[in-house]
Amino acid sequence: MRVLVTGGAGFIGREVVAELSARGDDVVVLDSLREDVHGPAAVADERTVVGDVRDPGAVQRALTGCDAVVHLAAKVGLGVSLADIDDYVSSNDLGTAVLLRAAEVPHIVYASSMVVYGEGRYDCREHGQVAPSPRRAEDLEAGLFEPRCPVCSAPLRPGLVTEDARLDPRNVYAATKAHGEMLLAAWARQTGAGATALRFHNVYGPGMPRDTPYAGVAALFRSAVERGEAPTVLEDGQQRRDFVHVTDVARAVAAAVAQPRTAGRVVPLNVGSGVVTTVGEMAQVTSKLLAGPEPVVTGGYRLGDVRHVTASSEAAAQALGWRARTGLEEGLATLA
């Protein structure tokens, strides 16, 4: 099978290209090699069409002869400020639209994200499953980090979110990922093709961009320790996340390419490790593996962050025969 991987020179893209190639697929890469997205490590090889996914000509050249598409190309991260909003929308939404307009393939695998959920699943003892409102700056300033029940203001119990949860993006990047899923659904309905939206959780591993404003928390902790500094942890460090190793993510993508979903619609699937880890625990393990100083919990916050978001990946296990294999300490050892 000939597969186009947009963003194939990036952190996740390189692993996906290697996994697809190992399975015998003929891979074509479309990548703009943007340093603000990839860092300085992205390079082109003989399989790469160097071009922007927003460029119809580059997209058409890359699509020639392809049987499927893996769409990874995106500007990632929380968003440094609203000064980035137009670049996020252009890079992610317009880029997806240009690709979909040209894509005459039976199946697309789209890199979505757990950020489309906003906050994860929460249950109130009295009112059952509820959706908390966005956290207020004044509460965060006062160190009140936990969301409260929107009905009775009681503390909530976090749980695992499933794919049928409503989408509630709470920052610019999240909004573009949710909109990308909607564009993909419109494309699937009109073309009769199938699509899989893989909602990646916190992906980490070797090759993570480290020196850009959009680096993930694992890369930020690693960089701090390598500078001889203590990793700094926002809030109280008890934020719950699911950290999934990049090799497991690549396996999920390859499995989705090999098993097209129902024609005419998008099937969303969570891709996570299945293990709940706090941000503070991630910092502790990183410091231990690199023999660095103890993390410092700052009590600071970013208004666009959510408190807890972890998901069940059982649907991916059933649909793709896939499960994550790499534990946190083993995975962070590869990062270190």
Side-chain angles (χ1 to χ4, degrees):
M1 184 186 302
R2 187 173 176 86
V3 183
L4 169 62
V5 180
T6 71
F11 163 50
I12 296 175
R14 292 192 298 271
E15 291 288 344
V16 169
V17 168
E19 183 70 23
L20 290 172
S21 299
R23 295 184 182 214
D25 291 318
D26 178 21
V27 179
V28 179
V29 170
L30 174 64
D31 203 295
S32 64
L33 307 182
R34 282 178 59 169
E35 190 165 321
D36 67 320
V37 174
H38 295 320
V43 295
D45 62 19
E46 68 279 359
R47 296 174 293 195
T48 305
V49 175
V50 178
D52 197 299
V53 73
R54 293 167 289 187
D55 177 356
V59 169
Q60 196 62 63
R61 290 195 304 275
L63 276 168
T64 302
C66 287
D67 307 297
V69 173
V70 175
H71 182 32
L72 303 175
K75 183 182 173 96
V76 300
L78 174 66
V80 176
S81 71
L82 282 180
D84 284 348
I85 189 170
D86 51 344
D87 194 22
Y88 270 101
V89 172
S90 176
S91 300
N92 298 358
D93 292 344
L94 178 59
T96 297
V98 170
L99 174 68
L100 294 177
R101 180 180 179 183
E104 297 179 359
V105 294
H107 185 220
I108 289 179
V109 178
Y110 172 66
S112 188
S113 171
M114 54 84 180
V115 297
V116 300
Y117 295 119
E119 293 282 354
R121 175 183 173 134
Y122 291 87
D123 292 284
C124 173
R125 291 186 182 277
E126 182 176 351
H127 298 102
Q129 186 174 345
V130 295
S133 301
R135 297 184 296 169
R136 303 183 308 166
E138 53 265 40
D139 290 336
L140 297 171
E141 285 283 356
L144 302 175
F145 302 123
E146 294 291 344
R148 296 274 174 164
C149 175
V151 181
C152 67
S153 297
L156 297 174
R157 183 174 65 254
L160 301 180
V161 68
T162 52
E163 289 86 352
D164 58 354
R166 73 186 183 99
L167 303 190
D168 186 19
R170 297 191 175 186
N171 59 60
V172 172
Y173 170 63
T176 65
K177 280 296 167 184
H179 189 225
E181 288 196 25
M182 295 172 189
L183 292 174
L184 196 64
W187 173 83
R189 283 193 298 270
Q190 292 191 34
T191 63
T196 309
L198 298 180
R199 293 172 178 167
F200 300 156
H201 281 252
N202 293 74
V203 187
Y204 73 98
M208 289 186 74
R210 297 200 290 166
D211 302 314
T212 80
Y214 312 99
V217 66
L220 294 175
F221 292 161
R222 171 191 177 187
S223 293
V225 172
E226 289 179 341
R227 293 192 303 268
E229 302 169 3
T232 56
V233 180
L234 296 180
E235 301 186 20
D236 59 0
Q238 296 305 304
Q239 309 94 301
R240 292 159 53 105
R241 297 291 187 268
D242 183 325
F243 294 96
V244 59
H245 197 266
V246 66
T247 56
D248 286 326
V249 170
R251 289 176 42 247
V253 172
V257 169
Q259 301 180 56
R261 300 293 93 202
T262 304
R265 68 187 185 97
V266 178
V267 175
L269 296 171
N270 292 326
V271 175
S273 69
V275 177
V276 175
T277 303
T278 69
V279 174
E281 289 169 342
M282 165 64 89
Q284 288 280 355
V285 174
T286 304
S287 284
K288 183 181 78 172
L289 287 171
L290 291 172
E294 282 288 303
V296 174
V297 178
T298 67
Y301 66 90
R302 297 187 302 181
L303 193 57
D305 277 341
V306 297
R307 178 62 173 173
H308 305 298
V309 56
T310 55
S312 168
S313 295
E314 282 302 308
Q318 296 299 317
L320 305 178
W322 169 90
R323 288 187 188 275
R325 298 173 181 167
T326 308
L328 186 65
E329 288 217 18
E330 176 189 355
L332 284 176
T334 69
L335 178 62

